[in-house]
Amino acid sequence: MSVLKVLAAQLETMTQADRQIAGFIIDHPEKMLTLSSAGLAEATGRSQSSVVKFSQKLGYSGYQQLKLAVNKAKAIEWQTPGGVIHGTIEASDSYMTILQKLIGSKLLSMRETSAANSEPTIDLALAALTDARRIQLAGVGASSLVAKDFSYKLLKLGRAVLLDSDTHIQISNASVLNGSDVLMALSHSGRSLETLRIAELAKKRGAKIISITSLQPNPLLDLADISLFTVGDEERVRSSAITSRDAQLMLTDMLFILLLRRQPDAYDYIHDSETAVKILKV
Amino acid sequence: MSVLKVLAAQLETMTQADRQIAGFIIDHPEKMLTLSSAGLAEATGRSQSSVVKFSQKLGYSGYQQLKLAVNKAKAIEWQTPGGVIHGTIEASDSYMTILQKLIGSKLLSMRETSAANSEPTIDLALAALTDARRIQLAGVGASSLVAKDFSYKLLKLGRAVLLDSDTHIQISNASVLNGSDVLMALSHSGRSLETLRIAELAKKRGAKIISITSLQPNPLLDLADISLFTVGDEERVRSSAITSRDAQLMLTDMLFILLLRRQPDAYDYIHDSETAVKILKV
DNA sequence: CGAAACCTGGAATTATGTATTCCTGTGTCG
DNA sequence: CGACACAGGAATACATAATTCCAGGTTTCG
């Protein structure tokens, strides 16, 4: 997972000194690579020890390790397929440029999202979904559409899914969950009231909670037994919710395909549901 | 060029000590990243100063720089076993491979979709959407979710949008359209019965029809005044509807962003709707 | 309301790691 | 065979990183 994304995500919740250091790294990552811990300290106006402690708080053994991580992140960022542009979409951009930037943003958020989730965690989520007696999905706004999309897929695999667009019904559904059920809650911010209520209730009932939120620390994340992450890129597209929705779809598509692989009879189910739908086509 | 390749290439022509050091780095690059210059010296049985000199001979200012270069090389190597992969996802694929193939498929369908629609046609569609008194959206199944997503975005721009998940209501909505309205119908196959019915009815009422279908000839296409296209990649992902949905989203996101650019007061509307939603967050 | 426990973050210290210099042994060439 | 070039190690000087310690501020709890 890209350190830079993590830094950006946690920037808000950091202490003052840490925020300044993180800010500098985000703004000038390559500059930072040339600096020593003392140099970075001077550049940010903090002390050398703060720089080292900052590195350690992030989970690295020290400043050197952090540097390697930043280096790696930059290296990967460069490595984009031809014709892809990462930039903020401006009103003055031409048609082609807008297209390229849009594709670039979507690609970036898909990549970052796939990198933000470790294989072991994904495996935990898959196991939970596989073993669940019932799966309830929760989400409002744009997330509700992703939840619905995922529910269709789960239904095609023959799983028992609970999802309703009415939040009152979602809450009453959650109130009858139990230890053998799973609640999967989607909220990019992790702060949508209804989704949180549902998750709290489900947790109280003993259901296993899978959260899908951004990397920013958030209440939903705290409730979760298994935490999956989405990485958006709002700023660059500068418009509502496009890339965070793409990131959620990326993640749920991943889960679906991996479930498919685990479930030997999956293709039968899919075949059946597609056959049934064919009647509704010309 | 990757340091590791350079090392391998020059290995033959190196002096004894250098060859040993280079050999170790080639064989255990990750291990090397955890070692200090003295550590690497010990691991290779040479002296610490030789390690530093070795780094300098390669053109780096010192051991640290060499480490960064190796780190970068590994990062890139990991990220791209041959760039974006466009292949069918197989049950035997590893986790990483699946991810890369999924991203590759999505990227491909986004690119092809953006190429499948000419700028003049897009402009026609934008003009129609801009001038429309009301915009009705139609779609069933996965397309209905895209329609809903797009409707949210249009609502944020302050447009009058008609969309209901109940097809009967959709039909009755269509029956009151007139010449100043637009019907946008989404169906990848272009053969979904309900969507077709709605489009036929809307056409009879004199509304302008925008179709969003695959490139395959289909009945919905024949009805349309303006035809937009989506390009999916079903076969490669070998599972239901993932990339055709992505293609539809790509197209509607494009339309949204381009509408945004045309509409001077768009940001006010977006701001207002986002402010209104904030109340529902923690 | 006030003391204790707890953070944050800087200064000083210590430990670690890196780069340079110096030196020796070996092979090469005139 | 002796001057020279050079690989490469030891020692040293220097740079950088990590830890410890402490002061000031904040929260918590009696």
Side-chain angles (χ1 to χ4, degrees), chain A residues 126-168:
Chain A
L126 292 174
L129 290 173
T130 304
D131 299 339
R133 189 176 58 121
R134 291 180 302 186
I135 301 168
Q136 179 168 2
L137 299 173
V140 294
S143 300
S144 79
L145 297 178
V146 178
K148 196 147 230 166
D149 184 276
F150 191 49
S151 79
Y152 289 168
K153 294 195 169 62
L154 288 175
L155 287 170
K156 282 193 187 173
L157 291 179
R159 314 312 318 282
V161 183
L162 298 173
L163 171 64
D164 201 286
S165 51
D166 186 319
T167 39
H168 289 202

Side-chain angles (χ1 to χ4, degrees), chain B residues 2 28 55 93 98 119 124 130 137 140 144 178 186 190 193 204 220 222 234 240 251 260 262-263 265-266:
Chain B
S2 151
H28 320 282
S55 309
D93 284 342
I98 289 182
E119 189 171 354
L124 284 178
T130 306
L137 299 175
V140 294
S144 79
N178 64 35
L186 294 98
L193 282 180
K204 209 169 292 171
L220 183 52
D222 299 335
E234 286 324 306
S240 47
L251 192 55
L260 204 62
R262 283 178 157 235
Q263 191 171 321
D265 59 347

Side-chain angles (χ1 to χ4, degrees), chain A residues 57-120:
Chain A
K57 274 184 222 165
L58 286 171
Y60 301 101
S61 73
Y63 179 65
Q64 295 284 9
Q65 297 274 113
L66 172 64
K67 245 167 120 166
L68 286 180
V70 171
N71 181 251
K72 189 174 193 172
K74 285 308 287 180
I76 288 177
E77 203 174 294
W78 262 176
Q79 183 65 26
T80 48
V84 173
I85 305 179
H86 290 139
T88 306
I89 293 179
E90 310 288 352
S92 60
D93 284 342
S94 74
Y95 175 78
M96 277 309 288
T97 310
I98 288 182
L99 245 59
Q100 289 187 317
K101 286 185 177 176
L102 180 59
I103 291 179
S105 285
K106 282 168 172 263
L107 178 62
L108 187 66
S109 78
M110 291 191 309
R111 282 204 170 152
E112 295 279 353
T113 297
S114 68
N117 296 285
S118 68
E119 189 171 352

Side-chain angles (χ1 to χ4, degrees), chain A residues 64 93 106 245 253 261, chain B residues 93 106 245 253 261:
Chain A
Q64 295 284 9
D93 284 342
K106 282 168 172 263
R245 179 209 60 202
D253 289 345
R261 192 173 58 152
Chain B
D93 284 342
K106 283 168 173 265
R245 178 208 61 202
D253 288 344
R261 193 174 60 152

Side-chain angles (χ1 to χ4, degrees), chain A residues 29-36 63-76, chain B residues 1-4 25 29 32-35 55 60-76:
Chain A
E30 32 266 278
K31 179 91 211 207
M32 173 267 188
L33 289 174
T34 68
L35 293 169
S36 65
Y63 179 65
Q64 295 284 9
Q65 297 274 113
L66 172 64
K67 245 167 120 166
L68 286 180
V70 171
N71 181 251
K72 189 174 193 172
K74 285 308 287 180
I76 288 177
Chain B
M1 161 129 65
S2 151
V3 217
L4 297 174
I25 296 174
M32 173 267 189
L33 290 173
T34 68
L35 262 38
S55 309
Y60 301 100
S61 74
Y63 179 64
Q64 295 284 8
Q65 298 274 112
L66 171 64
K67 245 167 118 165
L68 286 180
V70 171
N71 180 251
K72 190 173 193 169
K74 283 309 285 180
I76 288 176

Side-chain angles (χ1 to χ4, degrees), chain B residues 100 127 173 206 261:
Chain B
Q100 290 188 321
N173 280 339
R261 193 174 60 152

